[in-house]
Amino acid sequence: MIATVQGSMRERLIEAANELFYAQGLRAVSVDKVIERAGTTKVTFYRHFQSKDDLIVAYLESRAALERDGVDAAIAYGKGDVDVSLGLMADHTGAAACSPGFRGCPFINAAAEYPDPDSAVRKLVDAHRDWWTSAFERLVAPLGLADPAAIADDLMLLRDGIMVAGYLGEPTRVAASFLRSCQAVIRCAPRASAG
């Protein structure tokens, strides 16, 4: 029972951080604000996290897990039909961009606040971006492209763009634009030679 209570308090702290960090920024939110939102104490906070950066990493890990589950589900649902999978990804991102409080990609935002490539936060951001690129490679694998890694890089650039455009631009138009752009990149990609 104690482990469950401790686990739930850790989750409450991460959920409080999720709300505050995403809405206000990583550096703008103090540990005290997170503690207050979670309804706990500093002693309890430091029982679960050694520092604010450790909490930020935990927050980003929870966001990464959600994204990965969604992307993996879209790829699986498409069963090799890239347009179906991309359509699901576009619809989801478009819906997120139109939701109240959308502030773009939490990983792009974190990278802007943590420019040091050796920080734990930036390393997690880089690892998640690497995961996204590998997911795009898995997505286009059935197409027999000559250079799937290059196309995955192009799709990653478009993914970054939809996250920024959804925040700064017209969110209702981003899903269709993302889908058209991805389809154009894939259509223009050279196929692997049969020989």
Side-chain angles (χ1 to χ4, degrees):
M1 179 69 173
I2 292 174
T4 304
V5 172
Q6 287 179 349
S8 65
M9 180 49 69
R10 179 179 168 80
E11 294 308 312
R12 279 179 38 202
L13 286 161
I14 293 171
E15 183 55 36
N18 186 29
E19 294 169 15
L20 295 167
F21 287 156
Y22 189 69
Q24 299 174 23
L26 302 177
R27 297 218 186 259
V29 174
S30 67
V31 167
D32 290 337
K33 282 185 182 179
V34 174
I35 290 168
E36 181 180 333
R37 175 68 59 96
T40 189
T41 65
K42 277 189 179 185
V43 171
T44 301
F45 175 85
Y46 287 109
R47 191 175 299 139
H48 295 283
F49 301 100
Q50 292 182 358
S51 68
K52 180 180 170 184
D53 281 0
D54 288 341
L55 176 62
I56 292 169
V57 167
Y59 149 71
L60 290 172
E61 285 172 341
S62 71
R63 297 294 295 238
L66 290 173
E67 285 188 18
R68 291 173 183 183
D69 289 348
V71 170
D72 286 341
I75 292 171
Y77 184 83
K79 297 179 184 166
D81 187 328
V82 175
D83 285 337
V84 168
S85 297
L86 281 173
L88 288 171
M89 289 179 197
D91 288 347
H92 177 268
T93 305
C98 290
S99 66
F102 182 76
R103 292 194 65 237
C105 174
F107 299 92
I108 293 171
N109 297 345
E113 292 194 57
Y114 281 79
D116 179 1
D118 293 325
S119 73
V121 172
R122 190 57 183 266
K123 285 179 180 180
L124 189 139
V125 169
D126 292 345
H128 186 58
R129 293 179 62 75
D130 289 345
W131 179 89
W132 260 103
T133 303
S134 70
F136 281 131
E137 282 189 62
R138 284 188 288 121
L139 174 70
V140 300
L143 301 177
L145 302 176
D147 191 354
I151 299 307
D153 287 341
D154 294 345
L155 296 175
M156 186 64 190
L157 182 67
L158 293 171
R159 186 258 175 208
D160 288 347
I162 190 176
M163 297 306 284
V164 173
Y167 179 51
L168 299 177
E170 176 55 47
T172 58
R173 297 170 57 189
V174 297
S177 180
F178 175 69
L179 184 57
R180 282 192 312 273
S181 299
C182 289
Q183 289 169 331
V185 164
I186 291 169
R187 263 194 314 274
C188 294
R191 299 313 192 239
S193 61

